[in-house]
Amino acid sequence: MTRMHVELHPKQVWGLIGIDGDSADAVLRMLSTVDSHPMPNVIIENPVNGHAHAGFGITTPINVTNYGSRRAVRYGLSIEEALRRAVGGDPSYPGRLIKNPFHSRWITHFLHDKTSTLNQFGAILTAAGHMPGRGWHNQRRREPVGYSRNETLFHMVRRFAYREMRHHWGDAEGYRAAVAKHVAILNADFPIPLGGNELGHISGSISDWTINYSRMWNDGPAAYDAAFSAIQAARGRKGGAARGVVQVADRERRLALLKEVF
């Protein structure tokens, strides 16, 4: 209670969405909710410059461990981005720390104790036009902060892990080391890197699943080569069909031009 900043919630569950307002009228923006966004549960204001943190309670906290729903995490990130847009919040705020509402340095406004589901948040924010488009997650991965770092690492390393297994048949420990190394390399590119424990969870989850449940890993290089050949053949057929459509369209276009000439 003596700290000026505290964690929003435990690392395993995401139950409070935090937004950072860096403008002098941040509190007014957070309170102006008519046809715009849900009312925050709490606003914690810096009386010197007017900057403030807002907290929005989620009815059912999101499990952000490797056993949680990736879809729920993605939807939660979209809600967080929509709330940020609604109040003009800082896009680089990582969402881990919030001003301590009981510290004497801040002015705290406890507004209500009701929570909302992600769908309730989404309905209001969609109607107000704040929800990001479908391609927003891919754009966010270029400069991820907060929980999107976990999502970005998981999906990038997952694709790497499928390709990397062909170099480690029968060598589970070597495979685990290669995946962990790749996780560390990608993490170093983040503006705010993840901690070692989170990196271990991500690399361990991917390696464990591949070794224990992947048919390609358990069946060996023959199955891998067969799957690779099938994928390449399917891509070739798809490309050939596309070229055929283009050739037919080109032939019809030239016939139409000839008819006009003659």
Side-chain angles (χ1 to χ4, degrees), residues 15 42 49-50 56 93 97 106 133 136-137 140-141 147 154 156 159 165 167 171 199 236 239 244 250-251:
V42 60
N49 55 22
F56 299 80
Y93 174 58
L97 297 178
W106 318 125
W136 172 78
H137 284 283
R140 183 180 175 88
R141 288 177 184 176
Y147 286 113
F154 181 84
M156 293 176 68
R159 297 186 180 95
M165 71 171 68
H167 301 302
D171 179 19
L199 299 185
D250 186 58
R251 190 160 53 244

Side-chain angles (χ1 to χ4, degrees), residues 148-241:
S148 69
R149 294 171 298 173
N150 300 65
E151 181 193 15
T152 299
L153 272 180
F154 181 84
H155 287 289
M156 293 176 68
V157 178
R158 176 175 61 84
R159 297 186 180 95
F160 164 83
Y162 289 138
R163 300 190 302 269
E164 183 66 14
M165 71 171 68
R166 68 184 187 273
H167 301 302
H168 301 277
W169 300 121
D171 179 19
E173 293 308 312
Y175 178 70
R176 292 180 189 276
V179 172
K181 179 180 178 181
H182 197 65
V183 168
I185 291 173
L186 294 180
N187 182 57
D189 292 334
F190 289 159
I192 304 176
L194 289 168
N197 288 339
E198 292 169 292
L199 299 185
H201 288 312
I202 293 172
S203 63
S205 174
I206 295 172
S207 300
D208 289 344
W209 189 93
T210 304
I211 294 170
N212 295 323
Y213 300 105
S214 172
R215 188 183 64 184
M216 287 190 291
W217 174 271
N218 292 315
D219 290 349
Y224 184 95
D225 292 340
F228 179 79
S229 298
I231 292 172
Q232 292 297 96
R235 288 174 177 171
R237 288 193 298 271
K238 183 177 180 180

Side-chain angles (χ1 to χ4, degrees), residues 105-127:
R105 182 172 180 177
W106 318 125
I107 298 175
T108 301
H109 312 274
F110 290 106
L111 304 177
H112 65 91
D113 59 0
K114 297 179 181 179
T115 60
S116 299
T117 66
L118 293 182
N119 287 335
Q120 289 170 334
F121 278 124
I124 297 173
L125 294 165
T126 298

